[in-house]
Amino acid sequence: MFLIIVLCLYVVGRVQGVSRPLVIGHRGAAYLPELTLAAQSMGYAFGADIIEIDVCLTRDNQLIVIHDIYLDGVSNVAEMFPNRNRSNGYSYVIDFDLEELRRLTIRERFRPFNGTQIFPLRFPSNSVIAFQLATLNETIELLLGFNRATGQQRQLLIEIKKPEYHSKYNKSISSIVLETLNAYNLKEPSDPIILQTFHIEELIHIRRNLGSKLRLFALMTWNRINESSSDYDFYRSEEGIRNLSNVIQAITPNLEFVVNYDSNGTILGNTNLTKWAHQNGLAVYPFTFRRDSFPGRSFEQLIQYFLHTARVDGFITDHPDVVLEYLRREMAAKDVIFIEQNSSSSLVSSMLILLFNMIMISKIIV
């Protein structure tokens, strides 16, 4: 009986060595208004390895967790401050102090000016529940508190929003982010903090001029979107990837940069991006995998393709629970295959060695 127990433990130990891709909860999780502490907490509860957030600066240099540089798509700012919008109709984070922003109610994302909910089947944007904006400090406290309470090591992926935009107001958002992190002694690559931005030259600045040792990820999208002045066509080329590998640890590209699609959303094949990244020691975490908005017919087939064929290192997703459930089923299937494969000569040999050692030990004891 003792021998059987030992053998079972041995096989289980071998099986548990199988790892899975990382799951990054995009803005927390899709089931509550984005980036609120509630949505972040739900992402952690679902089991996301990393929670992705965005930060912008207020007029009084406080770091607010919000995706856009304006407030109109997720809050009641038009009701609370009807005369604070600019000539284009938008109310910008940088025009408000933190105390003012604390008065706002955060809602599920909607289209400014007409109120149409972007994702109709998500949490109702007209709910009376008063969600609020969070600061970066509060988000860090949530992360550290969760890790302490659970004994786990979840991480935070912080997107620094539009450094070039902030610099026009004489604000170095990256410096303020680093100062905030330093106050929590979060400085090392082993700490549960990662920084990313679309302005790739800012990542170079953070590494070389600001001297940060934290892990850095490079966001990539289409040049035509004008997310920053960075030339993504160059940075996703073989030369560009090779140059970036001296500064960053991973790329976080639009998922359409990883595979080629036809006009119907059918995947035609892989690009070279993942291959070049891996050749240069960089991980690949594409964005954004949304169950309620994706190219093709089956969300599960999309995940399957990126996992097995595109061979990405993880998924940035609005639905971490769905992706994790799929990956768990995949890992369970791999466990079965692992045991079946190792019932061949390799496992038999290992078991024979173990049996021989146990016999020898028993002789010594006798």
Side-chain angles (χ1 to χ4, degrees):
M1 176 61 73
F2 174 76
L3 179 58
I4 293 174
I5 293 172
V6 171
L7 287 173
C8 288
L9 291 173
Y10 176 73
V11 171
V12 169
R14 291 284 297 276
V15 170
Q16 288 177 337
V18 177
S19 61
R20 62 162 174 78
L22 292 177
V23 174
I24 301 172
H26 184 243
R27 308 182 201 174
Y31 307 101
L32 291 172
E34 65 182 49
L35 292 170
T36 58
L37 293 176
Q40 295 177 45
S41 299
M42 180 167 276
Y44 287 130
F46 280 139
D49 304 292
I50 302 172
I51 295 297
E52 184 269 349
I53 66 166
D54 312 87
V55 293
C56 294
L57 275 174
T58 63
R59 183 168 57 187
D60 53 345
N61 290 331
Q62 300 300 305
L63 287 161
I64 287 291
V65 178
I66 188 170
H67 179 264
D68 302 321
I69 57 176
Y70 54 85
L71 297 153
D72 304 82
V74 293
S75 80
N76 63 340
V77 65
E79 304 165 25
M80 296 295 295
F81 299 97
N83 300 315
R84 295 284 292 277
N85 57 307
R86 297 188 186 181
S87 59
N88 63 0
Y90 286 93
S91 301
Y92 287 79
V93 176
I94 208 164
D95 294 336
F96 293 81
D97 294 331
L98 175 60
E99 184 275 329
E100 294 175 310
L101 297 181
R102 293 290 198 192
R103 304 182 211 168
L104 299 180
T105 296
I106 300 304
R107 301 169 175 170
E108 177 61 36
R109 179 167 288 276
F110 58 90
R111 291 181 177 85
F113 314 127
N114 70 19
T116 305
Q117 189 164 329
I118 301 293
F119 299 101
L121 298 181
R122 295 192 183 183
F123 197 89
S125 62
N126 60 355
S127 171
V128 298
I129 299 176
F131 296 95
Q132 291 186 314
L133 287 168
T135 63
L136 179 58
N137 294 75
E138 290 165 344
T139 295
I140 293 170
E141 294 282 354
L142 179 67
L143 167 73
L144 299 178
F146 182 89
N147 284 352
R148 177 177 176 177
T150 62
Q152 298 174 2
Q153 185 71 355
R154 304 296 173 80
Q155 303 178 69
L156 194 63
L157 175 58
I158 303 170
E159 179 184 341
I160 301 172
K161 296 298 293 188
K162 296 188 178 295
E164 294 167 293
Y165 163 83
H166 284 89
S167 68
K168 293 178 182 178
Y169 298 88
N170 298 314
K171 295 178 183 291
S172 175
I173 185 171
S174 296
S175 296
I176 296 174
V177 167
L178 291 177
E179 290 170 6
T180 302
L181 295 171
N182 288 345
Y184 290 91
N185 198 32
L186 297 169
K187 307 175 182 179
E188 302 298 327
S190 57
D191 288 329
I193 298 292
I194 309 158
L195 302 180
Q196 68 174 359
T197 184
F198 280 104
H199 188 216
I200 295 177
E201 288 76 14
E202 185 74 7
L203 294 172
I204 298 171
H205 171 66
I206 290 170
R207 179 72 77 219
R208 295 178 178 170
N209 299 329
L210 300 183
S212 176
K213 299 178 183 178
L214 292 168
R215 288 165 291 161
L216 304 178
F217 291 1
L219 280 159
M220 296 182 180
T221 190
W222 304 104
N223 281 349
R224 65 175 181 267
I225 295 176
N226 295 318
E227 183 67 38
S228 79
S229 63
S230 297
D231 182 0
Y232 305 112
D233 290 343
F234 168 72
Y235 282 118
R236 61 192 177 98
S237 69
E238 187 172 12
E239 180 185 358
I241 290 291
R242 184 167 56 250
N243 292 346
L244 277 177
S245 66
N246 298 316
V247 176
I248 66 173
Q249 285 66 54
I251 59 172
T252 44
N254 185 309
L255 59 84
E256 294 182 18
F257 288 173
V258 176
V259 300
N260 292 313
Y261 293 93
D262 66 13
S263 58
N264 297 317
T266 301
I267 296 175
L268 301 176
N270 297 341
T271 67
N272 288 318
L273 186 61
T274 300
K275 180 183 74 174
W276 290 336
H278 288 167
Q279 286 174 347
N280 287 278
L282 300 178
V284 180
Y285 305 110
F287 71 88
T288 304
F289 293 86
R290 295 184 171 102
R291 183 177 60 176
D292 47 5
S293 174
F294 63 92
R297 297 182 178 179
S298 168
F299 186 66
E300 188 168 289
Q301 287 179 2
L302 182 70
I303 298 300
Q304 183 180 46
Y305 186 92
F306 273 80
L307 175 63
H308 294 296
T309 306
R311 303 185 69 82
V312 298
D313 302 285
F315 300 85
I316 299 178
T317 175
D318 285 9
H319 297 90
D321 57 324
V322 177
V323 176
L324 277 165
E325 177 58 30
Y326 173 77
L327 293 177
R328 285 171 184 140
R329 293 200 306 269
E330 283 284 305
M331 293 302 104
K334 281 188 176 182
D335 289 351
V336 173
I337 294 171
F338 179 91
I339 294 173
E340 290 176 350
Q341 288 176 342
N342 282 277
S343 63
S344 62
S345 59
S346 61
L347 184 57
V348 171
S349 299
S350 299
M351 293 176 68
L352 287 173
I353 293 171
L354 182 61
L355 280 169
F356 175 78
N357 290 333
M358 294 189 68
I359 291 170
M360 294 302 295
I361 291 171
S362 64
K363 286 185 177 181
I364 293 172
I365 293 174
V366 173

